[in-house]
Amino acid sequence: MDMSEDKRGTVGSQSADVSQISITAQNRSHISAPVILNSTVTGNINIANNYFTGPGDEVTGPGTQIIDTSSLIAEYKQFLLSEYAYITEYTSRAGEEVLLNDRYIDPLIVQKHREKKERENEMRSRGKRFFNTRETNQRNKNIMVGQLFGPENGSKKVTRKSVILQGDSGSGKSVTAQKVVLDWASGELYSTLFDVVFHLRCKELNGLSDEMSLVDLLDCSLTANEIGQILKDIPQRILFIIDGFDELMLSVTKESLPPKPDIKSHPLAIVCSLLKGRMMRESFLLVTTRSSAVDKLENILKKPQCFVEIMGFSEKGVSEYFRKFFEDEEFSSQVYEQVKIHEMLYTACFIPVICWIICTIFKRKGKDRVVTSELTTTTSIFVDFVSTLLKHHSSLNQHEELDLLKNLGQIAESGTPKRQVLFSRNDLPKAISDLPNIPFLCTFRQQERTYLKEMFGFLHLSFQEFFTALFYMLTDEAEAKIKVKELLESAGNGRRNEHLLPVIQFLFGLSNKKVSRLIPGEHPKLTTTVIRAQLEKWISKVIEKNIMNAFYMSDFILHCLYELHDRDILKNVMKLWERSGINIHWSLKGVDCQVVMYCLQYSSRIISMEVKCNAKDLKMLHPALCRCTTLWLCFDSISDADVDLLTSALGRRKNVGYLTMEDGALSDESVQKILKTLSGQTSVGNIRLVVRSISNANVDLTMNFLLKEMMGRSFSVCIASQAENMDKSLCSEFTMSSKNNSLWFTVGHSEGHQGEISEKHGLCYYEGFSKISFGLCPFSAIPMTDFLKTSHNLRCFSKMKITEFGVNVEALLSFLSCVPGLTEVDIHSEYLTDIWASRILSYLQINPKISHIKFHVSNLMISDEERVCSTFSVSRKPFEEYKMHVSERKNPSLSLAMDRWAYDIASSSNGELVHSHRLDKPALVKLSLSFPPLEGSSVSWEVLFKRLYHLIRLTEQCPELNEHVDSLLLFLHSVPGLKEVKVWLSSLIESWAARLFTLFLSCSSLLHLQLNTSMYVISDVESLGIMRADGVR
């Protein structure tokens, strides 16, 4: 309550003797209005924060002026909406401010202390793996800014009064603080928690020396009296944001701390009093700080307090930042994709300042120059980052900056050879250790038994590698020469020292004449010249003597040359490389194309290029592809418009290892044009072309062309459909391949996820055959149209169309029976009933001429029960010496295997318990058989499937177990020529062992019997085996 006298009015009594003025609190809370008795009020009295509870509480009088606090706060919010709506970027000139909401991205904030191992894993990972590692580690620990003052994890704990928001330099702490103020003022944040939010920037406070009160310090659109009234009336509804605690130069004692907001003192003493809770105890605090000052802060900050860490951007945040920075969405996507392929650069984008630097540089280049101009090197981005942080986030002079960089380099260099990424305070040079804040290093406390150990690390391993290279550049000439020589020799000692390659790449980048001029501080220019000469000699030796296998190191070599950007050195190195044969193995996208084309501009002949890129890069790569002898090409997508450029790049008489595309919509004419170009090549490997849909027409076109132009040569050509609705395409893939005068035909079907059960027209549909492949030698004419139609009808089935599906199974077997010279069959099905599986198995068993057999059913169903029985597979392969019994030489056996995995999955998905009790173990885990294919054999495999199904459902404790075991073994005894039986059980049961031994003795063809005891098929705990040779063993 503030009742102040106006200069033009007085407050007086009617009688001096009986004058009485009383102010009382109403509703047992606070003073809501003054009650003035026996007095005459003249002039103006300002009554702030006037809370009326009823008509009887109103105060009236001549000249009375009542100001509601809510109107003051509304006025203050309007001021903030104007003041905080914009941010000034590092390169902004007058009038070039940017809207905060046009830049702000929600940062990754975690409410936990990260452990040492977790930090090390994050620091060592790169690219997409880095972001995935961070998001996996922080899962369920992420919080939004709006949750900072809520009860922890939804618990009933007391709401925290103080929140420490810790983050490294450039991680977005200050921008987040500004966003909190802006969102509160606009009513989007904390509207139910806080009536007022005040913001104090510590960097500005350090420059104040005159004594003042907290009211004076909170300079804004409100008057001192108005601020004072707010502080007095609603302290429990006020949030103070203190931004940049690490920048405060605190040296005040407890005795000098002012207890009230209207008491004047030194500004730092006022802030310290707020932090400790000596002043405004009931208010809330949000304090941002670097990690180096967290210990000091938590010791003085009032309780209860909460610790959260701002970790910069998530992967999604990086993408969103690029999108918001550029107005042109296509340009934004182009820049983002170019940066993403650079693992080192992309990893660093978790730091908002790095994102800003990259986007600013690209924006300056402009859309038209992104593809055609030289791309800024990775090293130059890191140098810009260092310069930006030193200029805007530290107060060091030029000499101190140079000393800091040298000391940071010394720390980095000491750990890099040992792969050390975390350091104790004892590892730090004294000049660094004594600094209150250490830029570029993050600090945390690691629990060590009964105490906390202070640890330091760079923002990421990439920055440690950069500072290691920078250390060599800032060292005197003689010492630098020795250290760089040791580094290069170590890097040439095989894969165990691959971790040194990024340091060498940064050395090339720092040797770039333009980049070296950007390094802050004075440093020995002669050192740069000496190191550049060492690097040229070393990379020439690597290529000439193939020290590091130049084929697989080509990406590293080209990146080093690009970072250096020295035309004379590039000419010499490429001339040397061309002499020994340029072989490039690379996954190219966006920016990498510029790296390749920059380096290859001085080469006339390239031995080979292995490239993965998109169609947009084809135009840029075209000159290099034309000069290649051997090509391996993989494209994201190719359209009809790209085909002429592709066929031109392929030319003639090349070795095409593969030509594949992941997506596309080629017309039949484009397919024919590509195939015609391929027919003119010296050799052709795997080809995969994506068309709109697969029809009889384009299958016939492909087959006829290959049979006419490519017979007698090795090839594999696949046409794939991009049609989402597979009803419009005969199949998802059709492949024809040739090798050693044999031809293979494969049809593939993709109906969504493997094993998917879908609903169509109110019916339950099961995915049927996903792959049908067969091989023949020599080639003969086959009715391919009939086969494609049959395979299309076998994609899926429903209960209502079981008979129709069975007809098509018979049609498939009839087709295979008519294929002359059939040597191979490979069939995969997601769901199949015992009847159809039995029919196919019987066909395979009576055809010994089929030398290669693969038949796999992911979910074998018992038709009577309509339940999944097991996973089922049959295989046959030619005789292999030392791996197969000598009796297999002339007629290798079929191997059949069934396990309960699919049954367990299906049962658990139906909500059934599957032998959860340790005493309730399944009776049978897996069964495997081997038997020879015999013409005329007539085994009823349906019987086996049903008997296995009954056994799989039983446990070891079931009384009917022995009866079902006898039934199974009786069937096995009836299999002609049975050679091998393997059984997996949960535990060794005497009745099983005795019955199996009886089977072995009574079945003369049985050569090997093995009993394994393991709940899991993949790890045999115990096994008992019997083999028949001259006798029984």
Side-chain angles (χ1 to χ4, degrees):
M1 163 71 60
D2 174 37
M3 195 168 74
S4 57
E5 179 183 347
D6 189 280
K7 291 181 180 179
R8 295 170 297 168
T10 60
V11 179
S13 62
Q14 291 178 342
S15 169
D17 298 329
V18 292
S19 170
Q20 180 183 1
I21 297 176
S22 66
I23 300 176
T24 59
Q26 297 177 356
N27 297 329
R28 299 180 181 178
S29 55
H30 51 73
I31 298 171
S32 59
V35 179
I36 305 173
L37 303 176
N38 300 323
S39 299
T40 300
V41 180
T42 61
N44 296 324
I45 297 177
N46 296 328
I47 304 177
N49 199 34
N50 184 35
Y51 295 98
F52 296 119
T53 58
D57 295 324
E58 296 184 9
V59 178
T60 60
T64 303
Q65 180 183 355
I66 300 172
I67 302 176
D68 192 345
T69 305
S70 61
S71 66
L72 296 178
I73 295 174
E75 178 188 334
Y76 174 55
K77 285 183 176 181
Q78 288 303 312
F79 164 76
L80 293 178
L81 288 173
S82 172
E83 193 75 12
Y84 280 72
Y86 291 88
I87 55 172
T88 302
E89 297 184 321
Y90 299 124
T91 56
S92 294
R93 293 167 294 193
E96 290 184 339
E97 290 84 3
V98 180
L99 281 171
L100 174 59
N101 287 331
D102 286 349
R103 286 286 187 269
Y104 183 78
I105 301 295
D106 286 326
L108 179 64
I109 300 177
V110 296
Q111 188 176 337
K112 60 177 283 192
H113 291 277
R114 289 184 288 159
E115 299 300 328
K116 180 181 178 183
K117 192 69 178 176
E118 186 179 317
R119 287 177 179 270
E120 288 178 329
N121 288 339
E122 289 177 17
M123 292 171 71
R124 289 193 173 107
S125 56
R126 300 182 195 268
K128 191 168 185 66
R129 183 168 162 262
F130 164 77
F131 288 105
N132 289 342
T133 300
R134 286 209 317 167
E135 288 168 22
T136 299
N137 288 342
Q138 315 316 328
R139 191 166 292 154
N140 302 323
K141 296 294 182 181
N142 299 1
I143 63 169
M144 302 299 290
V145 172
Q147 300 171 298
L148 291 178
F149 290 93
E152 187 175 355
N153 298 327
S155 67
K156 295 182 179 179
K157 291 183 180 180
V158 63
T159 300
R160 68 282 302 240
K161 282 286 187 180
S162 308
V163 173
I164 300 172
L165 180 62
Q166 177 227 304
D168 300 316
S169 301
S171 61
K173 301 182 297 296
S174 294
V175 174
T176 299
Q178 183 173 337
K179 178 66 171 172
V180 170
V181 177
L182 183 65
D183 284 355
W184 169 79
S186 63
E188 297 177 17
L189 185 70
Y190 298 145
S191 58
T192 59
L193 279 177
F194 308 122
D195 288 340
V196 184
V197 174
F198 290 114
H199 184 202
L200 293 171
R201 294 183 175 94
C202 294
K203 180 182 280 189
E204 297 173 359
L205 299 180
N206 284 329
L208 302 176
S209 56
D210 296 340
E211 288 197 349
M212 58 181 66
S213 67
L214 176 61
V215 172
D216 300 325
L217 202 58
L218 299 174
D219 184 27
C220 61
S221 62
L222 303 177
T223 66
N225 287 339
E226 290 167 341
I227 294 174
Q229 193 63 49
I230 290 172
L231 297 179
K232 184 178 180 182
D233 286 348
I234 49 171
Q236 75 282 2
R237 301 279 297 173
I238 297 176
L239 169 66
F240 289 98
I241 299 177
I242 300 178
D243 183 26
F245 170 80
D246 53 283
E247 298 181 77
L248 278 182
M249 294 178 286
L250 292 179
S251 59
V252 291
T253 62
K254 184 175 181 181
E255 290 72 24
S256 65
L257 298 181
K260 294 182 180 180
D262 57 349
I263 296 178
K264 293 183 180 294
S265 182
H266 191 279
L268 297 186
I270 293 171
V271 173
C272 193
S273 183
L274 267 178
L275 292 170
K276 285 178 174 288
R278 184 119 184 241
M279 181 195 300
M280 301 293 293
R281 178 71 193 173
E282 293 176 288
S283 65
F284 290 79
L285 290 171
L286 172 60
V287 188
T288 74
T289 181
R290 292 182 193 173
S291 55
S292 56
V294 169
D295 287 357
K296 182 196 287 187
L297 175 60
E298 69 176 357
N299 286 333
I300 67 172
L301 192 62
K302 67 183 179 183
K303 309 293 190 299
Q305 60 183 226
C306 165
F307 170 89
V308 297
E309 182 176 2
I310 183 170
M311 298 172 62
F313 292 150
S314 64
E315 185 173 27
K316 182 181 177 182
V318 174
S319 173
E320 184 68 9
Y321 185 89
F322 276 73
R323 188 189 66 78
K324 292 181 77 171
F325 193 95
F326 301 102
E327 295 177 1
D328 187 323
E329 192 168 334
E330 182 184 352
F331 185 33
S332 165
S333 176
Q334 190 179 25
V335 173
Y336 177 71
E337 289 301 324
Q338 289 194 15
V339 173
K340 191 174 179 181
I341 196 64
H342 261 292
E343 273 198 337
M344 194 178 293
L345 202 56
Y346 185 55
T347 304
C349 282
F350 81 92
I351 303 171
V353 173
I354 291 278
C355 272
W356 175 82
I357 291 172
I358 292 171
C359 290
T360 300
I361 290 171
F362 271 101
K363 194 170 187 177
R364 252 185 240 138
K365 286 177 178 291
K367 181 177 181 180
D368 296 333
R369 298 182 58 204
V370 168
V371 176
T372 58
S373 66
E374 295 176 355
L375 176 70
T376 303
T377 64
T378 301
T379 309
S380 68
I381 297 289
F382 276 67
V383 171
D384 284 336
F385 172 71
V386 170
S387 301
T388 301
L389 255 62
L390 288 177
K391 182 177 181 180
H392 298 281
H393 294 264
S394 79
S395 55
L396 304 176
N397 59 41
Q398 192 173 23
H399 179 72
E400 290 170 334
E401 284 180 358
L402 186 58
D403 285 343
L404 172 67
L405 295 178
K406 286 181 178 179
N407 285 314
L408 287 170
Q410 184 180 337
I411 301 168
E413 197 259 351
S414 68
T416 298
K418 304 177 288 185
R419 301 176 188 257
Q420 180 184 355
V421 295
L422 295 177
F423 307 87
S424 67
R425 185 167 285 277
N426 292 334
D427 296 324
L428 272 57
K430 190 174 187 306
I432 284 273
S433 183
D434 291 343
L435 287 176
N437 290 312
I438 311 173
F440 310 105
L441 287 183
C442 50
T443 311
F444 72 101
R445 291 182 297 172
Q446 170 66 27
Q447 289 184 338
E448 298 280 348
R449 297 176 65 86
T450 58
Y451 66 95
L452 294 174
K453 182 179 181 180
E454 190 177 23
M455 301 294 290
F456 299 85
F458 288 88
L459 300 174
H460 184 265
L461 177 59
S462 301
F463 292 94
Q464 182 175 336
E465 293 159 346
F466 169 79
F467 277 105
T468 301
L470 185 61
F471 176 65
Y472 299 138
M473 287 295 178
L474 300 179
T475 308
D476 66 79
E477 175 190 349
E479 186 179 355
K481 190 172 183 178
I482 295 171
K483 285 185 173 294
V484 171
K485 182 183 178 183
E486 292 174 351
L487 171 72
L488 298 176
E489 286 176 351
S490 299
N493 291 334
R495 290 179 175 262
R496 59 194 176 92
N497 286 326
E498 278 185 349
H499 65 289
L500 300 177
L501 298 184
V503 178
I504 296 173
Q505 186 173 314
F506 274 124
L507 266 180
F508 274 92
L510 291 170
S511 298
N512 182 318
K513 293 175 183 178
K514 289 183 179 179
V515 174
S516 64
R517 290 197 289 268
L518 300 174
I519 300 173
E522 294 291 331
H523 55 281
K525 303 295 182 184
L526 193 58
T527 301
T528 305
T529 305
V530 170
I531 291 177
R532 188 185 297 116
Q534 282 182 285
L535 294 174
E536 180 185 6
K537 184 178 179 181
W538 176 78
I539 203 164
S540 299
K541 185 178 178 182
V542 166
I543 291 171
E544 189 174 21
K545 298 188 177 181
N546 201 22
I547 293 174
M548 301 168 69
N549 192 335
F551 177 68
Y552 289 102
M553 295 298 293
S554 57
D555 58 341
F556 169 72
I557 293 170
L558 294 177
H559 259 302
C560 287
L561 292 172
Y562 183 78
E563 291 284 323
L564 182 61
H565 244 74
D566 187 304
R567 184 164 299 192
D568 293 332
I569 292 178
L570 176 64
K571 285 181 178 179
N572 294 335
V573 170
M574 295 310 294
K575 185 177 180 180
L576 186 65
W577 199 357
E578 189 172 320
R579 198 180 302 154
S580 60
I582 300 175
N583 294 278
I584 296 175
H585 170 77
W586 209 340
S587 293
L588 296 168
K589 280 187 181 179
V591 66
D592 287 341
C593 290
Q594 297 189 40
V595 173
V596 172
M597 295 313 299
Y598 167 78
C599 295
L600 295 183
Q601 61 182 309
Y602 299 113
S603 62
S604 59
R605 183 172 176 270
I606 305 165
I607 297 297
S608 67
M609 281 184 71
E610 184 171 353
V611 177
K612 182 175 182 180
C613 63
N614 54 51
K616 291 180 181 178
D617 300 324
L618 183 57
K619 185 175 182 180
M620 185 182 292
L621 289 171
H622 183 268
L625 297 176
C626 290
R627 302 201 299 271
C628 288
T629 306
T630 301
L631 288 174
W632 290 273
L633 301 175
C634 178
F635 295 96
D636 287 352
S637 176
I638 290 288
S639 67
D640 289 337
D642 306 314
V643 169
D644 286 341
L645 197 61
L646 173 62
T647 54
S648 172
L650 290 172
R652 293 180 60 81
R653 296 189 178 90
K654 284 184 171 64
N655 298 305
V656 181
Y658 58 72
L659 169 61
T660 66
M661 56 187 72
E662 297 173 12
D663 198 5
L666 295 176
S667 64
D668 292 352
E669 292 76 17
S670 292
V671 170
Q672 192 166 16
K673 190 178 289 186
I674 293 172
L675 292 177
K676 186 175 181 179
T677 303
L678 291 172
S679 67
Q681 308 304 327
T682 304
S683 65
V684 176
N686 294 328
I687 309 298
R688 186 178 190 270
L689 309 176
V690 181
V691 297
R692 295 186 183 95
S693 64
I694 296 176
S695 62
N696 284 315
N698 50 31
V699 168
D700 287 343
L701 181 151
T702 305
M703 281 185 59
N704 292 336
F705 183 87
L706 293 175
L707 292 173
K708 181 181 178 181
E709 302 290 340
M710 303 287 285
M711 282 302 290
R713 300 167 60 181
S714 296
F715 64 85
S716 176
V717 176
C718 167
I719 55 174
S721 172
Q722 58 121 225
E724 293 184 7
N725 184 354
M726 293 312 298
D727 289 334
K728 297 179 180 179
S729 184
L730 283 172
C731 53
S732 57
E733 288 189 353
F734 171 79
T735 305
M736 180 177 173
S737 54
S738 170
K739 190 176 182 181
N740 300 329
N741 295 321
S742 294
L743 278 175
W744 282 266
F745 297 90
T746 302
V747 171
H749 296 288
S750 176
E751 290 282 323
H753 300 292
Q754 286 191 338
E756 183 178 279
I757 304 175
S758 58
E759 292 285 340
K760 295 180 183 179
H761 311 298
L763 297 175
C764 181
Y765 274 80
Y766 295 91
E767 188 176 350
F769 289 78
S770 55
K771 175 185 176 183
I772 304 173
S773 178
F774 63 92
L776 61 155
C777 182
F779 173 74
S780 300
I782 50 176
M784 186 58 67
T785 302
D786 295 341
F787 169 65
L788 289 172
K789 181 181 178 181
T790 299
S791 71
H792 182 76
N793 293 333
L794 289 171
R795 291 173 302 128
C796 58
F797 64 92
S798 68
K799 297 174 184 177
M800 299 293 292
K801 296 185 177 182
I802 284 182
T803 303
E804 181 182 329
F805 191 85
V807 169
N808 284 293
V809 171
E810 292 295 340
L812 172 64
L813 297 179
S814 177
F815 168 80
L816 293 175
S817 299
C818 295
V819 175
L822 185 67
T823 58
E824 179 176 332
V825 172
D826 187 353
I827 299 174
H828 285 243
S829 181
E830 296 305 322
Y831 285 88
L832 210 59
T833 68
D834 53 345
I835 298 172
W836 302 326
S838 174
R839 184 70 188 88
I840 295 172
L841 179 53
S842 295
Y843 165 78
L844 298 173
Q845 186 188 12
I846 63 174
N847 283 280
K849 291 183 179 179
I850 306 176
S851 57
H852 293 74
I853 292 175
K854 287 183 182 178
F855 176 33
H856 179 82
V857 182
S858 298
N859 298 274
L860 180 66
M861 302 174 67
I862 303 302
S863 51
D864 295 343
E865 303 277 346
E866 295 183 355
R867 298 290 297 275
V868 172
C869 168
S870 68
T871 302
F872 165 77
S873 63
V874 176
S875 63
R876 188 190 188 206
K877 56 186 178 181
F879 177 77
E880 295 181 43
E881 203 79 47
Y882 307 116
K883 290 186 179 180
M884 300 170 72
H885 194 276
V886 69
S887 64
E888 302 279 286
R889 187 182 296 275
K890 292 183 178 180
N891 189 21
S893 292
L894 286 162
S895 295
L896 180 152
M898 297 179 69
D899 66 63
R900 62 177 298 112
W901 181 81
Y903 170 80
D904 289 341
I905 295 296
S907 298
S908 61
S909 65
N910 291 331
E912 301 174 18
L913 291 175
V914 186
H915 314 302
S916 58
H917 196 274
R918 63 185 182 88
L919 298 177
D920 191 25
K921 297 177 182 178
L924 178 64
V925 176
K926 179 180 176 179
L927 173 69
S928 174
L929 313 175
S930 290
F931 51 89
L934 297 171
E935 293 186 42
S937 177
S938 58
V939 178
S940 179
W941 295 106
E942 290 175 56
V943 176
L944 171 65
F945 299 149
K946 285 183 170 60
R947 292 182 182 180
L948 271 173
Y949 177 62
H950 291 307
L951 258 177
I952 280 175
R953 297 171 64 187
L954 300 179
T955 65
E956 293 179 342
Q957 308 300 317
C958 290
E960 62 267 31
L961 175 61
N962 289 341
E963 177 186 345
H964 285 289
V965 172
D966 288 336
S967 177
L968 172 64
L969 298 184
L970 183 63
F971 174 85
L972 296 181
H973 197 282
S974 69
V975 177
L978 182 66
K979 289 189 175 182
E980 183 180 66
V981 175
K982 292 182 180 179
V983 179
W984 281 260
L985 306 174
S986 298
S987 55
L988 186 61
I989 302 175
E990 184 178 346
S991 59
W992 264 105
R995 285 169 168 77
L996 284 169
F997 186 66
T998 301
L999 172 67
F1000 184 81
L1001 294 176
S1002 61
C1003 185
S1004 59
S1005 64
L1006 190 56
L1007 301 176
H1008 181 210
L1009 173 68
Q1010 186 171 322
L1011 183 62
N1012 304 295
T1013 59
S1014 172
M1015 185 64 187
Y1016 302 98
V1017 176
I1018 59 172
S1019 58
D1020 296 337
V1021 178
E1022 286 183 89
S1023 66
L1024 174 66
I1026 310 173
M1027 295 185 66
R1028 194 188 306 273
D1030 299 330
V1032 175
R1033 290 186 292 170

